[in-house]
Amino acid sequence: MSAPVLYLDGVSVVFDGFRALNSLSLVVEPGELRAVIGPNGAGKTTMMDVITGKTRPTAGDVRFRDHDLTRLDEAAIATLGIGRKFQKPTVFDALTVFENLELALKAPRGPIACLRWALSGEARRRIEAVLDETGLQARAKDRAAILSHGQRQWLEIGMLLMQDPELLLVDEPVAGMTDQETEHTAALLRRIAGGRSVVVVEHDLEFVRSLGRRVTVLHEGSVLSEGSIDHVQNDPRVVEVYLGR
Amino acid sequence: MSVALASPAPPRAAVARNAFRWALIGAVLLLALLPILNRLPADSALHVSDFLVSVTGKWITYAVLALAIDLAWGYAGILSLGHGAFFALGGYAIGMHLMRLIGPRGVYGHPVLPDFMVFLGYRELPWYWLGFDHFPFALLMALAVPGLLAAVVGFLAFRSRITGVYFSIITQAMTYALMLAFFRNDMGFGGNNGFTDFKELLGTPLNTPNARAMLFYASLAALLGAYWICARVVGSKLGRVLVAVRDAESRVRFLGYDTTRIKLFVFVLSAVLAGLAGALYVPQVGIINPGEFSPGNSIEAVVWVAVGGRGTLVGALLGAFSVNALKTWLTSVAPDLWLFALGGLFVLVTLFLPRGLVGLLRRREP
Ligand SMILES: Nc1ncnc2c1ncn2[C@@H]1O[C@H](COP(=O)(O)OP(=O)(O)OP(=O)(O)O)[C@@H](O)[C@H]1O
Ligand SMILES: [Mg+2]
């Protein structure tokens, strides 16, 4: 097996004496789709903050391929190839789905370059590919303002894909979605993983089950259990702190 | 799901857009006819008065200013309440040229110095007046000085992430400060009298049908050029980035765009267009004084754009022509009412027509 994409070892984050992360360790392989679950305040969002450089760990190693993420700022980490989807979708309402993706596409970003930009065949193919991947092909010409809640989330995931990340962090993607949209999102994430690694934080256990991959359970800032969904659901410690409530 | 139903029918929108384009082309052709109809014998049914030609020529320069404001405000969300300053600076630059062309024909008959300088006891031309005897230099300055000022103000403001109403207040302060400065006699710009009594431009005596036609067509050409530039910007990816900046600037920054540079680019471009408008305005009205810097002027120009419909180029044109036509009419029948009408118009548009006259005509999406 090749070297891991993401490697966290002994990571701790202390806020005013409160341990949000407590010697957390996590390894994500290339192409892996990993679900992270845990009760409120378990440290899931803090873990993402540490990976993206938003929060500095008090102790521990955070590595992305052979880069030490604890030394880089948010912009540098983003350019390395780590994309993050926040919970609140922010797409550009006044622009069409296609145009939203076009803005996210890797290309020179100065004012003159944007003024002279002409959509090449290659760029169009990349956008079409992401439209297919996210299932938004039929809505390409519609303004983002008229998309459904689920479609807006997919568009935002699509905008992350345009930047061709190697690792995608997705925080609670299915909150507020209909069952049908949740199913579609699970399929989308399964499709995306493979080419890249994906870490999904989610409360919805049915959703995590439908991902059908390795699950990590966080509790009080460290890993409580890890394995298949059936394995963790039957783990007595997990039952006690999370599922049993 | 009602996905298919929710999307707007593109054919109808396209037809509407085409109709707009044709209306626009028709309007331009009609405008271009005015100076020609002016030459018809006075008893001809198609004759148009000198007044109509000169007032329309003035409105055309206002339309250029409106386009400039719309580009910054309607597309990039930069609400400048100081565009009147860029307009006035462009006007002053051409005014300086016109003053130099008076030469020894002034009241005091001084071979070089304009009358106001003789009156104030100047011995020689201040250094910053050098070069203004050449038209190309003056025209260049009419564009460069507003552009430079916008670059400095914009850089300081955008870099410190000053946006929204705070930026608007800064630009109001800018034009107010310039007004006070230009009122001073020792600035060398004629104090509160400004410049007037112009004689000629490019060898054509002003206040003649020829000069009127020349300035009219120059303004019309400038309007078409400005429209073309704005349409290019708005239709490019840059235009879409501007809209994105307007609606969610921090998100654009996360996508890797340097929004300070992007905003600076359109703000400077917008100021240059405003300067061009002012440069064409002054020879037509025959006077420029510090009153052009008054904060109210900038606000009035923003109201044109709001009335016409910001965020559409056609809206800016429509607003500039319709509000100024209303103003010309109203100030001739009831001059005291104009300011109330302007304020009322703004309130009405803000409350009931957020997308302006264009929104009323188009009634497309929400
Ligand atoms: N900037 C901060 N300052 C102080 N405490 C913080 C800060 N950020 C997070 N915390 C605390 O750290 C703990 C972990 O928070 P985190 O947001 O990572 O939890 P989570 O697992 O994402 O929870 P949820 O499921 O509610 O999203 C919480 O108790 C939270 O109050
Ligand atoms: Mg969280």
Side-chain angles (χ1 to χ4, degrees):
Chain A
M1 193 103 201
S2 53
V5 169
L6 182 69
Y7 175 89
L8 274 69
D9 189 32
V11 175
S12 296
V13 171
V14 181
F15 295 117
D16 309 321
F18 173 77
R19 281 189 175 269
L21 291 185
N22 188 5
S23 195
L24 172 75
S25 299
L26 180 82
V27 175
V28 177
E29 304 292 342
E32 186 180 351
L33 168 57
R34 174 74 63 95
V36 176
I37 60 174
N40 290 109
K44 304 179 297 286
T45 300
T46 308
M47 179 189 80
M48 295 222 175
D49 289 345
V50 165
I51 299 168
T52 52
K54 193 174 166 210
T55 300
R56 294 271 168 230
T58 322
D61 259 358
V62 185
R63 307 180 84 44
F64 173 66
R65 286 185 279 129
D66 42 7
H67 301 275
D68 179 357
L69 296 184
T70 60
R71 295 166 171 280
L72 299 172
D73 66 8
E74 284 180 278
I77 292 174
T79 24
L80 269 186
I82 299 184
R84 175 175 187 178
K85 192 203 156 304
F86 290 89
Q87 213 184 313
K88 189 169 154 269
T90 42
V91 297
F92 302 117
D93 279 351
L95 302 179
T96 67
V97 169
F98 189 95
E99 290 166 344
N100 267 279
L101 295 175
E102 189 189 22
L103 284 202
L105 178 73
K106 266 190 194 167
R109 274 161 162 45
I112 304 286
C114 289
L115 184 59
R116 306 179 56 168
W117 163 261
L119 192 66
S120 67
E122 168 61 19
R124 179 175 291 280
R125 267 191 299 282
R126 293 243 7 231
I127 296 172
E128 302 275 337
V130 168
L131 282 170
D132 278 339
E133 212 167 2
T134 50
L136 290 171
Q137 193 62 266
R139 312 229 55 181
K141 290 201 172 76
D142 291 338
R143 298 198 319 148
I146 60 171
L147 296 182
S148 72
H149 171 69
Q151 288 166 331
R152 293 165 72 80
Q153 301 273 3
W154 303 329
L155 175 56
E156 202 185 0
I157 292 175
M159 289 171 77
L160 287 171
L161 293 179
M162 290 311 299
Q163 295 168 77
D164 211 7
E166 219 170 307
L167 172 65
L168 209 63
L169 307 173
V170 188
D171 205 347
E172 306 201 19
V174 299
M177 280 192 186
T178 64
D179 289 352
Q180 206 182 1
E181 288 174 330
T182 303
E183 245 169 67
H184 180 111
T185 307
L188 168 60
L189 291 174
R190 281 197 306 264
R191 228 171 10 224
I192 289 171
R196 15 184 133 55
S197 309
V198 181
V199 175
V200 191
V201 162
E202 191 47 73
H203 278 289
D204 184 334
L205 279 181
E206 269 323 295
F207 172 74
V208 170
R209 179 174 287 283
S210 66
L211 289 178
R213 306 291 168 86
R214 208 173 161 80
V215 181
T216 298
V217 185
L218 289 194
H219 177 56
E220 290 178 354
S222 45
V223 176
L224 184 66
S225 179
E226 202 168 273
S228 70
I229 182 81
D230 288 324
H231 169 85
V232 302
Q233 264 185 318
N234 291 320
D235 186 327
R237 286 168 305 174
V238 176
V239 172
E240 187 184 335
V241 307
Y242 186 43
L243 306 168
R245 286 184 308 162
Chain B
M1 274 210 302
S2 59
V3 165
L5 294 176
S7 60
R12 205 192 309 156
V15 167
R17 213 167 304 134
N18 261 335
F20 258 102
R21 185 155 309 149
W22 283 111
L24 212 63
I25 293 172
V28 168
L29 288 177
L30 222 67
L31 279 178
L33 276 179
L34 287 183
I36 298 171
L37 298 180
N38 178 233
R39 298 299 179 88
L40 293 176
D43 53 4
S44 155
L46 289 174
H47 173 83
V48 301
S49 64
D50 293 352
F51 172 76
L52 190 65
V53 174
S54 59
V55 86
T56 313
K58 201 173 80 172
W59 293 347
I60 293 175
T61 67
Y62 286 157
V64 175
L65 176 60
L67 280 178
I69 291 173
D70 194 27
L71 186 64
W73 181 36
Y75 287 90
I78 305 168
L79 175 53
S80 163
L81 293 180
H83 259 52
F86 303 131
F87 183 84
L89 286 170
Y92 263 97
I94 285 300
M96 288 164 83
H97 176 62
L98 293 166
M99 289 304 272
R100 294 288 283 114
L101 289 185
I102 296 174
R105 285 170 292 178
V107 175
Y108 292 102
H110 193 287
V112 176
L113 295 186
D115 279 348
F116 77 88
M117 289 191 189
V118 180
F119 180 73
L120 291 172
Y122 278 69
R123 303 243 152 260
E124 55 183 19
L125 215 54
W127 62 267
Y128 49 82
W129 275 74
L130 296 178
F132 277 94
D133 45 336
H134 301 290
F135 176 76
F137 179 80
L139 186 61
L140 182 70
M141 288 297 119
L143 308 180
V145 172
L148 220 65
L149 176 64
V152 172
V153 171
F155 177 76
L156 294 175
F158 301 149
R159 194 196 46 170
S160 326
R161 309 221 170 140
I162 293 173
T163 53
V165 65
Y166 300 100
F167 183 77
S168 307
I169 291 170
I170 286 179
T171 51
Q172 274 272 283
M174 173 190 80
T175 193
Y176 188 64
L178 281 168
M179 180 175 77
L180 296 183
F182 273 74
F183 263 126
R184 298 166 57 100
N185 282 329
D186 55 8
M187 278 283 285
F189 296 114
N192 62 350
N193 294 320
F195 306 146
T196 189
D197 280 337
F198 307 135
K199 306 289 185 217
E200 71 206 7
L201 180 61
L202 293 171
T204 313
L206 293 172
N207 264 322
T208 57
N210 269 346
R212 255 193 301 278
M214 174 183 88
L215 288 167
F216 186 96
Y217 286 122
S219 302
L220 196 58
L223 180 62
L224 292 176
Y227 187 88
W228 181 79
I229 291 174
C230 291
R232 271 235 42 201
V233 169
V234 165
S236 73
K237 191 168 93 172
L238 178 60
R240 300 190 283 279
V241 175
L242 294 181
V243 167
V245 165
R246 179 191 70 193
D247 295 346
E249 182 174 352
S250 67
R251 177 77 169 104
V252 182
R253 218 180 288 124
F254 282 133
L255 282 181
Y257 292 88
D258 182 349
T259 55
T260 302
R261 266 180 72 203
I262 303 262
K263 286 163 76 177
L264 203 55
F265 180 86
V266 354
F267 190 55
V268 169
L269 175 61
S270 169
V272 167
L273 291 177
L276 175 67
L280 287 159
Y281 171 81
V282 165
Q284 298 193 63
V285 297
I287 183 168
I288 172 84
N289 61 36
E292 287 300 331
F293 284 105
S294 80
N297 279 21
S298 295
I299 294 175
E300 200 170 318
V302 166
V303 175
W304 307 337
V305 177
V307 168
R310 69 185 162 118
T312 61
L313 298 180
V314 177
L317 301 182
L318 210 59
F321 283 107
S322 58
V323 178
N324 281 296
L326 180 70
K327 180 179 182 178
T328 302
W329 172 74
L330 201 63
T331 46
S332 72
V333 297
D336 298 338
L337 284 184
W338 169 238
L339 276 182
F340 296 103
L342 185 70
L345 205 58
F346 187 65
V347 172
L348 279 180
V349 165
T350 312
L351 289 181
F352 301 111
L353 276 184
R355 296 175 61 223
L357 292 174
V358 166
L360 194 67
L361 295 173
R362 277 196 185 163
R363 286 253 191 108
R364 208 152 45 101
E365 52 241 315

